[in-house]
Amino acid sequence: MSVRELFNPRSIALVGATDKSGWSVSTLNNLRAHGFPGPVHLVNPRGGVVHGMPAHKSLADIAEPVDLAYVMVPTAAVLGVLREGAKLGIGCYVILTAGFGEAGEEGARLESEIAGFAAEHGLTVLGPNGNGYINAAAGITPYGLPIQPPLLRGEVGVVLQSGALASSVLSFAQARNVGISLLTSMGNEAVVSVTDVIDYLIDDPATRVIALFLETVRNPAEFSRVARRALEAGKPIVALKIGRSTLASHTAQAHTGALVGDDDVIDAALRQLGVIRVRSLEDLIITAGLLAACGPLPGPRVGVVTPSGGASEIIADRAEDEGLELPPFAPETVERLREIVPSFGTVQNPLDVTGYVLIDRTLLGRALETVSADPNIDLVMLLSEPPKNAPPDPAPVLAQYRASAERIAASRVPVVVVSNVLTDVTAFGRQVQQETGFPYVAGGIEHGMTAIGAAVRWSRTRARLLSRPEPIPRTGPPSAPRALPHAGEAGRPPGAHGVWAEHRAAALLAAAGLPVVPSELARSEAEAVAAAERFGHPVVLKAAAEGLGHKSDVGGVRLGLGSAEDVRRAYREVAAAVPSLDGVLVQPQREGGIELLVGVVRDPAWGLTLAVGLGGVWVEVLRDTALRVLPVDAAEVRTALSELRGASLLNGVRGGPAADLDAVADVVARIAGFAETLGDALESLEINPLLVTGSQVEALDALVTWR
C-alpha cells in the first residue's frame, strides 16, 4: 500500500462517470479548475460522450497507464472495478460509493471483501463512502463536492472522519485565509486509515500542522505511534474529537470506575501524546492556522496591544481561562510607552492605545514595537485585522499594513494577530495580506485566545516530553515492584476472579513490595483483642468478607478503638452488620496527613488508565482526579498531581507537614507499574485512601476486581 502514490497520481480515471451524477460533474470540474496536469479518463459501461468527452466502456479500454481510479459505480459493482484494475496494474483507488459498513450487515460483508482483496493485491483504497481528497499543494483534486474558489494553498493538513463536514471545513478555512496542503475525507477506512494519512502528512514537506476531525480512534496503539512521530517532527496535531459520552462504571465496586469515562480517558491520552484537543470546528481551523503561521510559542507571558479598553478586559478574563500570564511591563517599557500613548490613556498590560489610532495611524505600530522589546514577555498579542473594503486609492492602506508587517517580522518575540470578532477575511483583505506580508489573523478574541493558549501548552508539552527517552515512557518506574510469588500467566495470581476485598487486595500489594498499613486478620473477638495489643491502641477494625467493597456503607468499619473492651464491642457490631463475615482486619489507626485516591481501571480502547486525586470520603463528591493512560513514570505522576484543583493541600494544611511529592509520585508510579504486571486479568485496582504524611506514603485500604 502506498499512500504517497494515492495522493500524487499522474493520471486519473473516473469510473462510473455520468452526466446524471452531481458527484461525477463536480469531480471532473474540480480536476479541471484547480490545475491537475495529467490526463483524466472517463469510464462508463455504455461508452459514448460524458461531460462532453468520449468515455471508455471499461478500464481495460484506456490505452494509457492509470495511477488512480475514482470509483462511483453502484455498491455491488465496486469489487469488480478493483478486480479489473488490479489486473491492469492500477494500485490506488478512491471509492465514493456508499452502502457498505455504514449500511448494515450485508454492506459490512461487501466492505470486508474489498478490504481483503486490497490486502491480497497490495491496493491502496481510500473509502468507501468518502468524497475523496484535495491535494492543494500539488493541485490534485479528486473530490466529489464543488470546491468554491479560491482554493488556498497552505501548510495545514486536514483529515476528517466526516464527508458531510469536509466542504464546510474547507469553506471556513478559506474564509479565514487558512491555506491547506491536503484535505481528506476518510469514509469508512476499510483500507487507508486516519493514522496512515497522518504518517503521510508527517513526512510531507508541504504540511506544517495536522488538523483532525475524529468520530473515533479506531486503533489507539497506532494513533499513539503517529502522534509521537508528529511530536518528534515538530508538527502539531490539533484534534476535534466528538462523542463526549459518559461511560458506565467499569466495576460497581471501585470508585475509580465511576470517575473514569470514555471522554476522560481520551482527554488524558491526547494530552500525554501532545495532541491539542479543541471543542469546535472554528477552533480546529483557527488553532491550526495560528500554529502553521507562528510555530511553537516560547512561553505563557503575553504582552497585549489593542486600541480597545473593552477588548482589554475580555482578553484579561480569557487569559486567566487559558493559563496565560499578563505580566506588568518593565519600567523602561512603561517610560517609552508614556511618550507614545496619549495622556488620557493608561499604560499597563493589556495596553489600550485608545481610539487615537484613527488620527495617528502609526500609534499601534509604535506601541507594538515598544512592547515587543519588553524583557518580561514571551509573545505579543496584537488586536488588528485586514481591511474589508477596498478604497478608491489602496496605496495608503497597503503602505500602512506593509509597515506593520515589517515591525512584526522584526519583533524579538512572536507576534500573534487577533481580530475583535470572527468574520470572513474579504477578497481585498486577502489581497492586502498577500501583497504586504501581513501575517495570519486568528478570528475573534474568543477563538484567538483559545488558539494562543493551546499553542503555548503544546510548546511546553513537546519540550517536556522530548526531554525524556519517549513521550510516554515505556521504561519501568524508578523503583519497580517485585514480581508476585507463584503468579500465573501474565502475572495473574491464583484464584484471581471476582472482587478481592481489602484483606486479599492489601496482601497482594504488600507481596509486591508496595507500602501498605500493617494488618492482621482476626476470626474471633479474642484474636482481634490480641492483634490490637500487638499494634497498640488506638486501632481500626474492618469487616473482611468475600466480595465486600465499600465496607463503611454497610457498617463494616470501626475507628478509634482505644481499649480491649472497645475492640470486643466493635467486633460484635461488625459481625451483626455483615452476616457473611470471614473475620475482621485489625490495623493501627493513622492520624492526620492527606488522603489520596489511586486507581487503575481498564478502558476498553486504551487499556489500563491511572486516576490519582483527593481520596477518602470526598472522592465522589469532589471528583478531583487527574488521569493518565499507562505506562507512566514518576515524573508524569508528579505532573498529574499538579493538575488537581486541590494540589495546594499537598503543600501542607494548618501547620501540617507538606507532602514529599517525589515520594508520592514514586509510590503511585510503582502502583501503576505493578498493575501492568497483572496483565489482562486485571479489571481495576484501587487504593483509597493512600495516606500521605510528609515523606511517609501508605495504603490504608485497597480493592481489586478481576476480569
Side-chain angles (χ1 to χ4, degrees):
M1 184 174 74
S2 174
V3 177
R4 180 165 297 280
E5 291 179 7
L6 170 72
F7 292 136
N8 294 276
R10 293 162 297 181
S11 60
I12 298 174
L14 305 186
V15 185
T18 170
D19 292 323
K20 298 178 182 179
S21 167
W23 283 293
S24 182
V25 172
S26 294
T27 306
L28 181 60
N29 287 344
N30 290 335
L31 290 167
R32 286 172 169 170
H34 299 289
F36 179 61
V40 178
H41 308 282
L42 305 184
V43 177
N44 184 298
R46 294 188 177 88
V49 175
V50 177
H51 308 324
M53 296 171 56
H56 304 277
K57 291 186 176 181
S58 68
L59 286 169
D61 289 344
I62 301 173
E64 305 173 30
V66 172
D67 293 331
L68 172 68
Y70 189 91
V71 182
M72 302 174 283
V73 301
T75 306
V78 170
L79 185 57
V81 173
L82 267 62
R83 285 178 174 143
E84 181 185 20
K87 290 179 181 178
L88 298 170
I90 301 172
C92 297
Y93 301 80
V94 171
I95 302 177
L96 175 84
T97 308
F100 289 91
E102 80 286 358
E105 187 175 337
E106 176 59 18
R109 184 189 64 79
L110 293 173
E111 185 173 318
S112 179
E113 287 185 356
I114 287 173
F117 184 84
E120 183 181 351
H121 292 84
L123 306 182
T124 305
V125 178
L126 180 64
N129 187 33
N131 289 319
Y133 66 84
I134 300 169
N135 186 345
I140 304 171
T141 54
Y143 183 73
L145 295 174
I147 302 172
Q148 300 300 326
L151 176 58
L152 302 179
R153 292 169 171 81
E155 297 177 307
V156 177
V158 183
V159 188
L160 301 124
Q161 287 180 327
S162 171
L165 288 178
S167 292
S168 296
V169 169
L170 178 62
S171 296
F172 182 73
Q174 292 170 328
R176 286 307 311 165
N177 208 22
V178 176
I180 65 167
S181 56
L182 177 77
L183 182 146
T184 308
S185 173
M186 295 303 306
N188 293 2
E189 299 182 59
V191 178
V192 175
S193 67
V194 164
T195 51
D196 294 327
V197 179
I198 295 173
D199 258 333
Y200 169 82
L201 292 172
I202 292 169
D203 296 329
D204 177 25
T207 299
R208 192 175 182 185
V209 179
I210 300 166
L212 307 178
F213 176 86
L214 298 174
E215 294 174 343
T216 184
V217 178
R218 299 181 189 276
N219 187 326
E222 270 295 287
F223 187 87
S224 298
R225 180 188 64 79
V226 297
R228 292 188 186 101
R229 279 200 68 212
L231 203 67
E232 291 165 0
K235 294 192 176 185
I237 296 178
V238 186
L240 172 56
K241 169 66 179 69
I242 61 171
R244 290 187 285 157
S245 60
T246 301
L247 185 67
S249 173
H250 291 278
T251 165
Q253 294 289 337
H255 288 104
T256 312
L259 296 173
V260 179
D262 284 335
D263 198 62
D264 301 311
V265 176
I266 289 169
D267 242 6
L270 295 183
R271 281 198 307 273
Q272 283 173 264
L273 293 167
V275 175
I276 299 165
R277 188 177 187 185
V278 295
R279 301 293 183 181
S280 70
L281 290 171
E282 292 84 356
D283 284 330
L284 178 68
I285 296 303
I286 290 170
T287 302
L290 183 144
L291 281 159
C294 297
L297 296 179
R301 301 176 302 167
V302 184
V304 179
V305 180
T306 167
S308 166
S312 296
E313 294 174 7
I314 297 172
I315 291 166
D317 288 344
R318 288 291 289 114
E320 186 172 310
D321 296 340
E322 296 295 333
L324 300 171
E325 302 169 22
L326 303 178
F329 292 132
E332 59 269 28
T333 303
V334 173
E335 185 177 342
R336 285 196 293 267
L337 286 173
R338 282 180 176 150
E339 298 173 357
I340 297 171
V341 176
S343 59
F344 51 84
T346 302
V347 175
Q348 62 183 19
N349 188 20
L351 176 66
D352 171 17
V353 298
T354 78
Y356 203 73
V357 292
L358 297 175
I359 297 172
D360 182 355
R361 298 290 185 179
T362 69
L363 175 56
L364 196 68
R366 289 186 293 130
L368 167 66
E369 200 168 49
T370 301
V371 171
S372 297
D374 190 287
N376 294 336
I377 64 168
D378 301 311
L379 65 122
V380 175
M381 175 182 172
L382 173 66
L383 215 64
S384 181
E385 57 190 298
K388 296 191 179 304
N389 301 312
D393 179 12
V397 174
L398 291 170
Q400 177 188 346
Y401 276 86
R402 188 172 291 110
S404 293
E406 289 171 356
R407 282 191 170 101
I408 290 169
S411 171
R412 177 187 67 86
V413 296
V415 177
V416 178
V417 185
V418 180
S419 61
N420 279 303
V421 295
L422 178 58
T423 56
D424 291 356
V425 178
T426 65
F428 179 64
R430 188 176 296 115
Q431 175 192 340
V432 168
Q433 287 188 273
Q434 290 171 345
E435 292 187 16
T436 65
F438 194 79
Y440 168 76
V441 179
I445 295 172
E446 173 67 25
H447 299 291
M449 293 299 291
T450 297
I452 294 171
V456 168
R457 288 190 294 275
W458 177 83
S459 303
R460 278 178 162 180
T461 300
R462 181 171 186 263
R464 178 171 59 86
L465 294 182
L466 293 186
S467 68
R468 301 180 189 176
E470 295 182 15
I472 296 181
R474 303 214 59 95
T475 55
S479 302
R482 297 196 300 267
L484 281 176
H486 312 301
E489 185 179 355
R492 186 184 189 110
H497 63 272
V499 177
W500 280 15
E502 182 181 0
H503 61 295
R504 299 183 73 184
L508 181 72
L509 297 173
L514 296 167
V516 179
V517 64
S519 64
E520 288 188 27
L521 180 62
R523 300 184 184 276
S524 68
E525 287 183 35
E527 289 183 5
V529 169
E533 293 295 333
R534 283 189 288 274
F535 285 129
H537 296 286
V539 296
V540 176
L541 254 64
K542 300 178 181 178
E546 189 70 27
L548 179 60
H550 302 312
K551 297 177 288 295
S552 57
D553 292 350
V554 296
V557 178
R558 294 293 184 274
L559 305 174
L561 306 178
S563 67
E565 184 55 37
D566 289 344
V567 172
R568 292 189 186 93
R569 182 175 60 255
Y571 188 97
R572 292 192 295 269
E573 291 172 350
V574 169
V578 184
S580 59
L581 194 70
D582 295 329
V584 297
L585 282 179
V586 182
Q587 299 171 344
Q589 179 154 321
R590 301 301 195 216
E591 304 286 352
I594 301 296
E595 294 184 345
L596 297 180
L597 163 80
V598 178
V600 177
V601 66
R602 185 174 301 280
D603 180 80
W606 293 88
L608 293 179
T609 302
L610 170 72
V612 59
L614 297 181
V617 297
W618 299 108
V619 60
E620 289 177 354
V621 177
L622 298 177
R623 299 183 66 86
D624 186 12
T625 56
L627 304 184
R628 292 295 187 272
V629 176
L630 299 189
V632 294
D633 62 2
E636 188 65 36
V637 172
R638 180 148 185 179
T639 300
L641 290 169
S642 72
E643 295 170 3
L644 299 175
R645 297 191 303 275
S648 60
L649 294 174
L650 295 168
N651 297 325
V653 179
R654 295 184 178 179
D660 182 339
L661 293 178
D662 288 334
V664 177
D666 178 73
V667 170
V668 174
R670 289 166 57 199
I671 292 167
F674 171 63
E676 287 188 282
T677 68
L678 299 175
D680 292 341
L682 182 68
E683 178 64 30
S684 68
L685 182 158
E686 180 175 289
I687 296 173
N688 183 30
L690 182 75
L691 185 66
V692 180
T693 308
S695 59
Q696 183 176 352
V697 184
E698 193 176 43
L700 301 191
D701 202 345
L703 189 71
V704 176
T705 304
W706 303 102
R707 299 177 79 186

